[in-house]
Amino acid sequence: MSPASLLVLLLLASSRLAAAATAQVFAPPSKGPLVQTANYTSFSNSTLNDRKAVPGKAFNRIIQIWLENTDFATAASTPIFGSLAEQGLLLTNYNGISLPWGGDFFGLHDDSMYHIPSNISCVVDLLEDKGISWATYQENMPTDAFYSIGATASNYASPGSAPYPYYMRKHNPLVIYDSVSQDAERVKRIRTFNDFANDVVNGSLPQWNFVTPNMVNDAHDTTIDFAASFLEYWLLPLLTDPRVNNEETLIVVTFDEAETFTIQNTVFAIALGGAIPINLRGTTDNTLYTHYSLLSTVQANWGLKNLGRQDTNATVSNVFSFVAEKTGYKNVHVDTPPQFNLTGIFPGPLNSIAFVPFAAPNLKARGAGGGSVLTRPGLNTKLTASSLPPPVNLNAVNATSPWQMSPETTSAKNIIPCANALCP
Ligand SMILES: *[C@@H]1O[C@H](CO)[C@@H](O)[C@H](O)[C@H]1NC(C)=O
Ligand SMILES: *[C@@H]1O[C@H](CO)[C@@H](O)[C@H](O)[C@H]1NC(C)=O
Ligand SMILES: *[C@@H]1O[C@H](CO)[C@@H](O)[C@H](O)[C@H]1NC(C)=O
Ligand SMILES: *[C@@H]1O[C@H](CO)[C@@H](O)[C@H](O)[C@H]1NC(C)=O
Ligand SMILES: *[C@@H]1O[C@H](CO)[C@@H](O)[C@H](O)[C@H]1NC(C)=O
Ligand SMILES: *[C@@H]1O[C@H](CO)[C@@H](O)[C@H](O)[C@H]1NC(C)=O
Ligand SMILES: *[C@@H]1O[C@H](CO)[C@@H](O)[C@H](O)[C@H]1NC(C)=O
């Protein structure tokens, strides 16, 4: 590791310690969610131009907002989540399973810097296959398509204190896919919160949106009350703005995972927005869901193809029931839900301790959208899950997963392999 990258890590670590030592107080980064601010580093240079909407059976737009590391009960006891639940459908049996966007989390279990080869499909392939526009909006990401492991910005809540590590790549799941980051058109859809403001004002908010608040606003470095203040600042005004929320909009507010590992990984999840049938508002739904349900629900809604992975595993991918009803999809009842709170090591290509190569998806899988499995060029379909060798511990031979990068990597075109177990 170079002295420069060591310094970056030390700075990140020391500002985290500072964060833990003094309770942070929410401060609005701007005058409102649709007003651009210098607190976000860069101003928007362009808008998307997504005016064509592909009609879905239950909604025409989905906005997913992920907060961090909070138990269901903690969120449920915070007033704003109670008041949001009154306006929407509270999903009481929704579970975290790490990142779902490729239909699997591929064994990922640490915060190192990874990428996923371009022959592995993800949700973006499914959406584009049907012409559905998409974007991810990352608060405090310094520029569009930013590739590095993280970024600090001046601490807008506490001027005079050290720059704060507001942006982390680990919360920007789509940039990890080479099929996105190495595609000049797709990568433009990895956008900032200033772009969000610009896109909304220009009437070009896409149909599928994934929103990541910064490391303080998403409760990662702070508390649920801090995240609640963020939602009051950012989400509440948008709920009454027809450019964002109309009768065809589904908004999902949830958490990546629970905080306590010794209980089931159930997270608070609310389905909100004009697309929620009036008679369901203020009610609860106890169907077993996981983050894979976000894939299957979108597949059912727009009749998409599937990824042939856990997005097609009926046990973990029930479709939101109000969408299942409109699309004719039959959810399964699971008597004994799996334990989603496993803290152990899961073998996978993004795991150096129990490494197995990427497997091809199950090409015979059927998903909630009814279509076939979508594959990308370069896929070796002979590499089925059952044909792969047993997991190996690459760290034991001072190696890492070939998909782990040096944290000094700053561009998709310049991937620096992480050469040994001591990297970073
Ligand atoms: C940045 O955020 C701080 C804290 O809320 C606020 O006082 C300041 O006005 C903001 N600056 C801009 C340019 O919006
Ligand atoms: C808004 O979108 C239109 C195309 O629909 C484009 O011509 C215009 O430049 C956009 N506005 C901004 C501020 O980028
Ligand atoms: C806009 O373009 C400038 C110059 O290329 C760049 O520095 C800035 O970061 C861009 N803004 C965004 C939001 O990417
Ligand atoms: C997961 O939660 C269950 C209770 O739902 C508990 O019995 C189990 O020990 C937990 N697993 C871990 C690894 O903490
Ligand atoms: C489906 O999910 C369950 C629960 O996680 C798991 O036990 C099972 O192995 C999965 N099936 C496949 C084919 O991956
Ligand atoms: C995917 O592509 C990578 C890089 O070219 C290759 O090493 C790997 O074997 C491929 N895996 C599958 C499942 O096609
Ligand atoms: C791994 O690296 C460490 C530290 O550089 C060294 O002491 C050890 O001998 C290496 N082990 C192998 C198997 O190469």
Side-chain angles (χ1 to χ4, degrees):
M1 168 182 304
S2 76
S5 65
L6 184 63
L7 181 66
V8 169
L9 289 178
L10 286 174
L11 284 174
L12 290 175
S14 64
S15 36
R16 257 169 188 251
L17 289 177
T22 44
Q24 302 191 69
V25 179
F26 175 78
S30 187
K31 291 191 181 69
L34 300 182
V35 181
Q36 296 194 45
T37 173
N39 284 335
Y40 287 158
T41 311
S42 283
F43 288 102
S44 179
N45 289 323
S46 63
T47 64
L48 296 173
N49 186 12
D50 293 331
R51 286 189 166 71
K52 213 180 67 194
V54 179
K57 293 194 178 110
F59 54 89
N60 288 348
R61 172 182 289 148
I62 180 169
I63 302 172
Q64 302 150 91
I65 304 156
W66 277 33
L67 305 169
E68 289 285 319
N69 306 358
T70 303
D71 294 347
F72 183 95
T74 309
S77 66
T78 306
I80 187 170
F81 290 95
S83 96
L84 286 175
E86 280 166 21
Q87 300 176 47
L89 178 58
L90 175 60
L91 311 177
T92 50
N93 194 5
Y94 183 111
N95 296 275
I97 41 91
S98 196
L99 299 171
W101 308 118
D104 201 324
F105 59 96
F106 302 116
L108 181 72
H109 76 129
D110 64 25
D111 293 344
S112 303
M113 193 167 170
Y114 293 96
H115 67 116
I116 292 175
S118 68
N119 51 1
I120 303 300
S121 312
C122 72
V123 64
V124 165
D125 298 290
L126 304 180
L127 294 167
E128 290 194 354
D129 182 56
K130 282 278 165 111
I132 295 159
S133 57
W134 63 275
T136 178
Y137 294 100
Q138 301 279 321
E139 189 175 29
N140 276 102
M141 184 174 69
T143 58
D144 293 346
F146 187 76
Y147 199 75
S148 300
I149 193 162
T152 61
S154 89
N155 188 328
Y156 59 79
S158 175
S161 44
Y164 197 88
Y166 284 118
Y167 169 78
M168 289 287 175
R169 175 190 169 96
K170 65 178 176 175
H171 295 167
N172 185 357
L174 296 177
V175 81
I176 293 170
Y177 288 84
D178 290 351
S179 62
V180 177
S181 70
Q182 301 196 354
D183 180 308
E185 285 308 309
R186 287 181 167 190
V187 81
K188 291 180 190 158
R189 293 176 177 274
I190 310 250
R191 297 174 71 73
T192 69
F193 264 36
N194 277 340
D195 289 318
F196 177 84
N198 207 15
D199 287 347
V200 170
V201 169
N202 199 27
S204 48
L205 188 65
Q207 291 196 268
W208 185 99
N209 302 276
F210 183 76
V211 173
T212 305
N214 70 30
M215 293 292 281
V216 294
N217 289 337
D218 70 1
H220 185 280
D221 294 356
T222 56
T223 61
I224 190 66
D225 292 326
F226 196 109
S229 299
F230 165 75
L231 290 177
E232 279 176 55
Y233 155 77
W234 194 84
L235 180 62
L236 296 194
L238 297 180
L239 288 179
T240 55
D241 189 321
R243 292 169 296 186
V244 176
N245 181 23
N246 60 37
E247 65 278 10
E248 294 160 350
T249 305
L250 169 62
I251 299 172
V252 181
V253 181
T254 190
F255 294 79
D256 71 327
E257 60 180 344
E259 173 90 339
T260 310
F261 289 123
T262 50
I263 55 175
Q264 178 66 305
N265 200 359
T266 307
V267 289
F268 202 82
I270 320 169
L272 280 166
I276 305 297
I278 306 233
N279 63 316
L280 294 182
R281 296 186 194 172
T283 68
T284 61
D285 173 1
N286 197 38
T287 311
L288 179 71
Y289 300 116
T290 74
H291 289 324
Y292 294 124
S293 301
L294 290 173
L295 287 174
S296 58
T297 296
V298 160
Q299 291 167 10
N301 183 59
W302 277 298
L304 305 183
K305 293 184 180 172
N306 67 76
L307 301 169
R309 300 184 191 268
Q310 296 303 309
D311 58 319
T312 61
N313 181 339
T315 309
V316 295
S317 64
N318 276 330
V319 169
F320 287 1
S321 50
F322 79 95
V323 178
E325 238 164 67
K326 289 198 174 144
T327 61
Y329 181 79
K330 293 256 175 307
N331 278 332
V332 296
H333 177 74
V334 182
D335 280 327
T336 315
Q339 292 295 328
F340 295 109
N341 57 328
L342 305 175
T343 48
I345 298 293
F346 292 85
L350 305 186
N351 185 331
S352 298
I353 297 172
F355 175 80
V356 286
F358 279 100
N362 170 12
L363 298 177
K364 296 197 191 100
R366 297 288 288 180
S372 57
V373 178
L374 191 156
T375 58
R376 288 185 51 84
L379 183 75
N380 180 349
T381 56
K382 295 204 178 76
L383 291 175
T384 59
S386 57
S387 74
L388 296 176
V392 291
N393 181 354
L394 294 174
N395 285 179
V397 291
N398 281 359
T400 53
S401 158
W403 310 112
Q404 187 178 334
M405 290 176 280
S406 160
E408 287 162 59
T409 308
T410 56
S411 126
K413 299 261 176 286
N414 176 32
I415 288 170
I416 308 172
C418 194
N420 66 62
L422 304 176
C423 173

